Amino acid sequence: METEVQSNFTYMGRTFNGLSINESSSAFSDCNSDRSGDFPTTSSQSRRLLLACASDNSDELIRNLVSDLESNSIDVQKQAAMEIRLLAKNKPENRLKIARLGAIKPLISLINSSDLHLQEYGVTAILNLSLCDENKELIAASGAIKPLVRALKLGNSTTKENSACALLRLSQIEENKIAIGISGAIPNLVNLLEHGNFRGKKDASTALFCLCTVKENKVRAVQAGVMKPLVELMADFSSNMVDKSAFVMSVLISMTEARVAVVEEGGIPVLVEIVEVGTQRQKEIAVAILLQLCEDSVSYRTMVAREGAIPPLVALSQSGTSRAKQKAETLIALLRQPRSGNAAATQARASDVSF
């Protein structure tokens, strides 16, 4: 497995390391637990759950629920999965206890169910349990990744969203990233990014951002056509997805194939518009992407210049953050002197040129 950070490059004596994952983390909110609403329960069941959530001695209830997960009755399984997901949602201490008492494997079995509601309850219970860091390794080792990817492809909207979140949680263990990619998650996440509702797009972008720190998953994402929805979302300021989409693009843009795809999908006019009218953070991400796009390509520099990039870049070089100013100045120099980045850098070092 090859894990990558944003590629560094040097131009005119300056080294740029793009936007790191830590710097961009504020653009992504982690997937929350169990966001699909309330469930029909009888008054006696509600009292039982409330008592269990308030009690430090819920082991007996949890054991009974784990047993019910393996019932021959779908209705009994649904009720058990529903109660487990609520116990895991409402009391964090229960998450480790539920896993310790054997719920994970039967919940994974439910994810493979042809009953869409049972599948949803199983996925969401696993998501809630994955919020406990100590459970993540056990969930992956118990075989959850492939069923979650299947649910991401075939489930209802809530199941797809919660599957994306659960895979995100599991991908926070580095060795799981390749396993998730091999299992086919990337094309399904790209599909959710393109066709999901707002929450689905948000969850898909967050999962892709985390998974694509691994080179193999970058390749999978570009091959799955991720640039098309990224460009479309970045072009639509009303989508509330400009930042998230741009950060995902910034993780991928170090790849030649990604740069080609950005251009083919009409990304250059969109990036230039963001530099002109975006927020300060959006402008900085866009100029960082454009800088990597133009570094080794005279034709891309020409395209960027023809889109009218220089005036907004000049404005950014005067009024942006210190890092945005530096990137804008460097990109302006590239656009005004369209030649090989290495040749320009060599000439700049020879003449000791600096800003």
Side-chain angles (χ1 to χ4, degrees):
M1 178 177 69
E2 184 176 350
T3 303
E4 295 191 341
V5 295
Q6 282 292 94
S7 60
N8 296 342
F9 58 94
T10 302
Y11 176 69
M12 300 190 82
R14 293 178 174 180
T15 298
F16 295 90
N17 56 12
L19 295 162
S20 73
I21 290 174
N22 288 336
E23 289 165 337
S24 57
S25 60
S26 60
F28 295 96
S29 58
D30 201 2
C31 293
N32 295 324
S33 161
D34 207 342
R35 297 169 292 176
S36 54
D38 297 322
F39 313 98
T41 57
T42 67
S43 58
S44 61
Q45 290 164 344
S46 298
R47 284 196 298 271
R48 182 169 66 158
L49 283 172
L50 288 171
L51 287 172
C53 289
S55 171
D56 292 327
N57 187 25
S58 55
D59 291 36
E60 182 179 357
L61 170 62
I62 292 171
R63 287 192 185 95
N64 290 335
L65 292 173
V66 171
S67 177
D68 286 347
L69 290 175
E70 299 179 284
S71 168
N72 292 325
S73 166
I74 288 181
D75 289 337
V76 171
Q77 289 178 311
K78 284 182 182 178
Q79 187 63 41
M82 190 187 304
E83 294 191 30
I84 284 175
R85 65 188 280 188
L86 289 174
L87 286 170
K89 172 185 178 180
N90 292 318
K91 192 171 184 182
E93 299 94 312
N94 281 333
R95 294 168 188 160
L96 191 57
K97 186 183 295 186
I98 290 168
R100 179 172 55 81
L101 292 174
I104 288 176
K105 285 192 174 181
L107 285 171
I108 291 172
S109 295
L110 300 190
I111 298 174
N112 288 318
S113 172
S114 58
D115 185 289
L116 292 181
H117 287 101
L118 192 55
Q119 184 184 67
E120 176 192 330
Y121 298 163
V123 165
T124 310
I126 288 292
L127 167 60
N128 292 351
L129 294 177
S130 74
L131 299 178
C132 173
D133 287 340
E134 291 89 338
N135 286 340
K136 287 189 285 192
E137 286 189 17
L138 178 59
I139 291 170
S142 298
I145 290 174
K146 287 185 178 180
L148 285 170
V149 171
R150 179 179 179 274
L152 177 64
K153 181 179 182 180
L154 300 176
N156 61 32
S157 60
T158 299
T159 298
K160 289 179 179 180
E161 293 154 7
N162 288 350
S163 295
C165 286
L167 290 167
L168 167 66
R169 295 293 302 177
L170 298 184
S171 73
Q172 290 167 350
I173 296 176
E174 198 66 24
E175 53 265 32
N176 287 339
K177 293 181 179 181
I178 284 293
I180 292 171
I182 289 172
S183 295
I186 303 295
N188 294 321
L189 288 168
V190 171
N191 185 64
L192 184 60
L193 180 69
E194 185 167 12
H195 300 293
N197 57 26
F198 173 68
R199 187 191 141 188
K201 294 177 189 294
K202 178 180 170 183
D203 293 344
S205 67
T206 307
L208 285 165
F209 182 77
C210 187
L211 288 167
C212 287
T213 59
V214 174
K215 182 177 180 180
E216 295 90 333
N217 287 340
K218 293 184 183 185
V219 173
R220 293 183 179 102
V222 174
Q223 290 177 343
V226 72
M227 287 305 172
K228 179 177 182 290
L230 289 179
V231 170
E232 289 175 351
L233 290 168
M234 289 166 62
D236 181 6
F237 284 87
S238 67
S239 71
N240 293 316
M241 287 289 297
V242 176
D243 298 56
K244 294 176 178 62
S245 300
F247 275 117
V248 175
M249 185 180 288
S250 75
V251 171
L252 300 170
I253 200 66
S254 60
M255 295 179 56
T256 300
E257 299 88 342
R259 295 195 287 273
V260 171
V262 168
V263 175
E264 289 180 346
E265 295 297 341
I268 286 178
V270 172
L271 289 163
V272 171
E273 183 182 15
I274 292 172
V275 173
E276 185 172 6
V277 301
T279 66
Q280 284 297 321
R281 180 165 69 177
Q282 290 165 358
K283 290 178 180 182
E284 185 173 339
I285 308 168
V287 75
I289 294 170
L290 285 169
L291 192 52
Q292 289 210 52
L293 195 65
C294 292
E295 182 193 11
D296 294 318
S297 174
V298 173
S299 62
Y300 291 168
R301 292 178 215 166
T302 302
M303 294 170 70
V304 171
R306 285 177 178 171
E307 284 297 328
I310 290 179
L313 285 170
V314 170
L316 184 61
S317 72
Q318 296 170 349
S319 62
T321 65
S322 59
R323 190 167 52 182
K325 288 178 180 179
Q326 187 184 60
K327 288 185 170 82
E329 289 168 353
T330 306
L331 183 53
I332 291 168
L334 270 175
L335 298 179
R336 286 177 171 168
Q337 195 174 24
R339 63 183 71 185
S340 162
N342 290 336
T346 299
Q347 178 178 335
R349 285 193 293 271
S351 58
D352 196 26
V353 175
S354 63
F355 289 114

